[in-house]
Amino acid sequence: MACVSSFTTRLSQKRDYVNGLLSSTLDKHIDINDDLKKAMAYSLESPGKRVRAALVLWCSELIGGESNSYADTAAVAIEMVHTYSLIHDDLPAMDDDDLRRGRATCHVAFNEAMAILAGDALLTMAFEILAGEIDNPEISSKLILELSQASGPAGMIAGQAADLRAENVVSDMKMLEYIHLNKTAKMFKAAAVMGAISANADSKQIKALSEYGMKIGLGFQIADDILDVCSSSEQLGKTAGKDEKAGKLTYPSLIGLEQSRVIAERITNQAVESLANFGERADVLRELALTLLNRTK
Ligand code: GRG
């Protein structure tokens, strides 16, 4: 595998590229109400890590050998849905937070009603661009299906509902796995699969990348739980130490930090194993898995 610093450079190049795509997509839509657009841009253009978008682009490049505009649109769409979920997750009725990506949350910077609308608008617009900007109807509809299933009532929203329900009650590993799978891992799986679909992958390739995406998503959420305990708000750009205060069901609360790290590492190794058939062209995805496991924010 290539050295760490070259991977860091590749990830930051992808982040810059995605930031450009996000801004130009909003700029192109000139008919959005001004106040609403300000709130959408405030959250969408705030400094996210863009890992889901990078995953789309790298999976597409792995299959197709080069970048393609379908993957660009898919990367923008998944970041829009992800940003909507963060805006709504921060609302007083949900996690009630005032810090996100190192800045005031959307409802603090604007107001609660505008934050709800900005989230709604980003969610809707994601599907608008997948339907309107991809000129291959089969690829477009597959991408829409993948993203809607991952983010919808049998995906991310189901995970959020279970997460809220599990607060301050005695629970178990089965419930925790259900929450992580739905709240977080299905969106990572969708990112990997959307990249593959954009490049016309065959079913075997889609299956392997689906497995990889799911596993890195599970590892990502365990790392997130660990960081909430071990890191600071300054480092994370969001309020640290919230899970324990809110009585959340997390890996550290259920099995302790040390065991949580063991499981995160095991799942990351499984993610890497699922790339076996792709050879060294998939090294960037292997390095992504390890980077997400060892991340500090
Ligand atoms: C759907 C109403 C509604 C609310 C949102 C699932 C969910 C429900 C919100 C997601 C919030 C959350 C804590 C999800 C878990 C996944 C996670 C750790 C998100 C943070 O992702 P990062 O670290 O964020 O990639 P950045 O800011 O880097 O994009």
Side-chain angles (χ1 to χ4, degrees):
M1 270 192 257
C3 70
V4 174
S5 62
S6 85
F7 175 77
T8 309
T9 307
R10 286 182 77 175
L11 185 57
S12 73
Q13 281 167 347
K14 274 287 181 268
R15 194 174 54 230
D16 293 347
Y17 180 69
V18 170
N19 286 339
L21 290 175
L22 294 173
S23 298
S24 65
T25 304
L26 267 192
D27 289 349
K28 265 191 298 189
H29 283 71
I30 50 171
D31 47 358
I32 303 174
N33 167 282
D34 278 349
D35 290 341
L36 180 60
K37 198 170 193 173
K38 275 190 199 126
M40 291 165 77
Y42 175 83
S43 289
L44 188 65
E45 293 173 358
S46 64
K49 293 186 286 296
R50 313 302 184 205
V51 285
R52 294 160 192 77
L55 193 50
V56 173
L57 299 175
W58 276 328
C59 287
S60 169
E61 288 164 24
L62 174 68
I63 303 300
E66 54 187 20
S67 56
N68 84 58
S69 69
Y70 299 159
D72 287 357
T73 303
V76 171
I78 202 161
E79 283 296 325
M80 284 182 162
V81 173
H82 168 59
T83 301
Y84 127 78
S85 79
L86 299 180
I87 295 173
H88 281 199
D89 187 57
D90 291 332
L91 287 168
M94 298 269 175
D95 272 1
D96 191 11
D97 216 325
D98 54 10
L99 184 68
R100 174 67 71 178
R101 295 175 171 170
R103 296 179 176 186
T105 46
C106 193
H107 67 275
V108 171
F110 295 85
N111 60 55
E112 207 176 324
M114 190 51 83
I116 293 170
L117 294 174
D120 292 343
L122 287 168
L123 174 63
T124 321
M125 194 171 162
F127 294 100
E128 181 187 343
I129 64 170
L130 289 175
E133 293 183 8
I134 291 183
D135 60 12
N136 178 319
E138 196 186 336
I139 289 185
S140 166
S141 68
K142 282 184 180 166
L143 292 172
I144 289 169
L145 184 63
E146 188 63 37
L147 186 55
S148 56
Q149 285 177 332
S151 60
M156 185 171 68
I157 298 178
Q160 179 77 349
D163 185 273
L164 292 174
R165 191 134 188 249
E167 279 178 12
N168 294 310
V169 294
V170 179
S171 205
D172 58 12
M173 185 52 88
K174 199 166 160 229
M175 178 52 67
L176 181 56
E177 285 174 355
Y178 174 89
I179 292 170
H180 279 207
L181 176 68
N182 285 284
K183 186 174 85 163
T184 309
K186 285 186 179 177
M187 285 288 279
F188 278 82
K189 177 230 168 205
V193 170
M194 289 169 83
I197 291 170
S198 302
N200 257 319
D202 64 32
S203 58
K204 211 170 142 204
Q205 291 169 322
I206 289 181
K207 188 165 180 281
L209 289 176
S210 167
E211 179 73 13
Y212 164 80
M214 194 72 91
K215 295 284 182 187
I216 62 166
L218 291 171
F220 184 91
Q221 186 57 56
I222 301 174
D224 210 71
D225 288 359
I226 294 171
L227 286 171
D228 184 76
V229 178
C230 297
S231 199
S232 65
S233 302
E234 292 70 37
Q235 179 74 24
L236 296 178
K238 61 183 181 180
T239 312
K242 275 201 77 179
D243 291 344
E244 195 185 344
K245 276 201 197 109
K248 290 268 185 201
L249 175 61
T250 66
Y251 270 83
S253 73
L254 197 65
I255 58 169
L257 277 171
E258 202 176 315
Q259 268 306 105
S260 302
R261 289 195 182 101
V262 170
I263 294 182
E265 202 173 316
R266 188 188 306 147
I267 291 176
T268 301
N269 289 338
Q270 290 167 355
V272 169
E273 280 161 22
S274 58
L275 299 171
N277 285 338
F278 292 109
E280 65 181 31
R281 283 183 312 115
D283 273 357
V284 72
L285 295 179
R286 296 184 181 95
E287 289 181 57
L288 178 65
L290 296 176
T291 301
L292 295 182
L293 173 69
N294 297 315
R295 70 200 169 94
T296 53
K297 65 180 215 171

